[in-house]
Amino acid sequence: MRSLKAVVAACIVPGSPRMPALDPKSSFLFVTCQIGAEDAVKDELARRWPDVHAAYSRPGLITFKVPPDHPMRPDFDPQSVFARAAGLSLGKATGDDSQQRARSVWELLGPQAVARVHVWPRDVKRPGEDDFEPAITPAAVEAREAIRQACPRREQLAADDRDWRLPARSGELVLDVILVEPQEWLVGYHQATSEGSRWPGGMIPMEMPPEAVSRAWLKMEEGLRWSSLPIPPSSRVVELGSAPGGASQALLSHGFIVVGVDPAEMDPRVLANPNFTHLRRRAAEVRRREFRRVHWLTADMNVAPAYTLDAVEAIVTHPEVNIRGMLITLKLFQWQMASEIPTHLDRVRSWGYNLVSARQLQHDRQEICLAALASPFIRKPIHRR
Ligand SMILES: C[S@@+](CC[C@H](N)C(=O)[O-])C[C@H]1O[C@@H](n2cnc3c(N)ncnc32)[C@H](O)[C@@H]1O
C-alpha cells in the first residue's frame, strides 16, 4: 500500500504525466510478499479486482492472470498491505547458466526501454525463522551483474543503476527479476511510484547498528522511511511499548525527544540518553497531561490490534491531546486477522486522520505497520477551567 507521501501526491496530481501506454502483451501480474501472507494478498487483490485470478505461485511469490479486457499499466497500484513488490510479469527466463538466462531476460522484455534493474530472491523462510531476514542476497547481486552485462541497450539504463543500493527515481521504468530458485528467474517490470516500488523487491537496504538493543530498530527506521511522516527535528515522540528500546534508539538517532511507555525494563543504554524518558507504566495508566506537548506517537505493544487501537484512541481523542501523526504496529496473532485491517484503517480515519495507510514492512514479522497523519494539522482548542 502507498506511503503517506504517495497518498498526498495522488491527491494533488491525479495520474502520472509520464504514464506509458497500456501494455497488452503482459497478461500476468506478480507479487512478492512475506511467506505466510500469500492468502492475505490474494484476498486483497480479489476484493479490488474480482476478475484477476491467482495463477502460478510459490511461497512468497504469487502471479495473477489478468483478463484480456483488463490490461494493466506498469504503474498499477495493487493497494495491498501485504505486497512487498508488484509488477507486470513477462514469464520465466530460460537457459542453463546465468549468462544464457541474462540474455533471455532481455529477450522477454523486448524493445521496452528501462532505466533500472531490480533483482531479488523470493523469501525462503518466514521472517525470524532460523533468524531469516528478507534481504538482497549475494546471489541476487551476482545475477543482476550478469543481467546488466547482457543488456543490449546499456546506454538507456540510468547512470547510477550501477549501484543496486540506490533507489529508482519516481516515474522510472524498472526491469524486475525474481530469483524464484537460484536457476529459476521470473521476469517482469514496473514503473516506480510509491516509496516501496523504488527499491528492489520493496526492500530498503539498511543495516542494524551494533549498538541497537533490539531489531525493532529496523522496523522503526523502515517505518519512518516508508511513511515519510513529516516529523520536524527535536519533536517529542511518545512510544507505547518501548522496551527494551531499539525503536527508541532509532527515534533518538533522528534527533527526536522520546518518551517511552512500557511496564517492562528499558535497556540501560537507552535510559542513559538524556533525550529519553521512561514512564514505567501501561499505556492506560499514563496521565493524559503527559501527552500535552507531544504531536507524534508510535506504538509497538505485543497485544491484539483491538487493544492497541483502544489504547491509542483513548490518547488521541482526548480533548487536551494533539497528536498529528502516528506509526502503529498491529500484531496479527492469526493470519485471519488480516481481513480486519480495512476496519482498523477506517477506525483510525474516524479519529480525524485523513491520510492513513498500512504496509507489511520487510522487517515486520506477523504484523503490519499503520501510518496516520492529520494534514493539515488543526489543533484542538485549549480548554480552560
Ligand atoms: C515488541 S515489544 C516492543 C519492542 C520495542 N518497541 C523496542 O524497540 O525494543 C512489546 C512491548 O509492549 C509492551 N506492552 C504490552 N502491553 C503494554 C501496555 N498496555 N502498555 C505499554 N506497553 C505494553 C511489553 O511490555 C513489551 O515490552
Side-chain angles (χ1 to χ4, degrees), residues 213-220 239-250 260-266 270 279-286 298-303 307-308 311 329 331 367:
V213 301
S214 67
R215 60 178 297 289
W217 185 96
L218 288 166
K219 285 199 300 184
M220 178 57 74
E239 206 207 345
L240 309 179
S242 55
S248 291
Q249 286 178 306
V261 178
D262 200 309
E265 251 181 67
M266 294 297 299
V270 183
L279 302 179
R280 196 163 180 185
R281 279 163 253 165
R282 292 188 180 282
E285 293 159 0
V286 180
T298 68
D300 181 17
M301 295 183 282
N302 47 3
V303 294
Y307 182 95
T308 294
T329 298
K331 310 273 179 194
E367 58 196 355

Side-chain angles (χ1 to χ4, degrees), residues 264-280:
E265 251 181 67
M266 294 297 299
D267 188 283
R269 286 166 287 181
V270 183
L271 290 173
N273 190 311
N275 287 332
F276 181 83
T277 309
H278 186 199
L279 302 179
R280 196 163 180 185

Side-chain angles (χ1 to χ4, degrees), residues 232-381:
S234 306
S235 294
R236 281 175 189 276
V237 182
V238 76
E239 206 207 345
L240 309 179
S242 55
S248 291
Q249 286 178 306
L251 290 165
L252 289 162
S253 73
H254 286 265
F256 305 139
I257 297 163
V258 181
V259 179
V261 178
D262 200 309
E265 251 181 67
M266 294 297 299
D267 188 283
R269 286 166 287 181
V270 183
L271 290 173
N273 190 311
N275 287 332
F276 181 83
T277 309
H278 186 199
L279 302 179
R280 196 163 180 185
R281 279 163 253 165
R282 292 188 180 282
E285 293 159 0
V286 180
R287 286 166 304 181
R288 301 302 105 160
R289 82 164 97 105
E290 309 265 16
F291 299 115
R292 262 194 219 147
R293 290 159 60 213
V294 178
H295 297 315
W296 304 93
L297 181 144
T298 68
D300 181 17
M301 295 183 282
N302 47 3
V303 294
Y307 182 95
T308 294
L309 294 175
D310 285 350
V312 173
E313 180 174 15
I315 295 166
V316 303
T317 59
H318 190 275
E320 288 177 32
V321 178
N322 285 288
I323 298 292
R324 183 175 179 206
M326 305 186 281
L327 269 187
I328 304 172
T329 298
L330 296 178
K331 310 273 179 194
L332 305 176
F333 294 133
Q334 295 100 34
W335 278 109
Q336 295 91 298
M337 289 171 137
S339 64
E340 294 157 18
I341 293 170
T343 314
H344 298 322
L345 298 181
D346 282 344
R347 182 172 175 190
V348 174
R349 285 186 195 102
S350 76
W351 304 336
Y353 295 92
N354 52 336
L355 300 176
V356 179
S357 195
R359 178 173 169 89
Q360 183 160 55
L361 303 175
Q362 169 192 352
H363 295 104
D364 274 337
R365 297 207 165 155
Q366 203 169 311
E367 58 196 355
I368 61 156
C369 178
L370 185 159
L373 181 69
S375 180
F377 179 41
I378 300 160
R379 288 172 201 230
K380 294 170 193 160

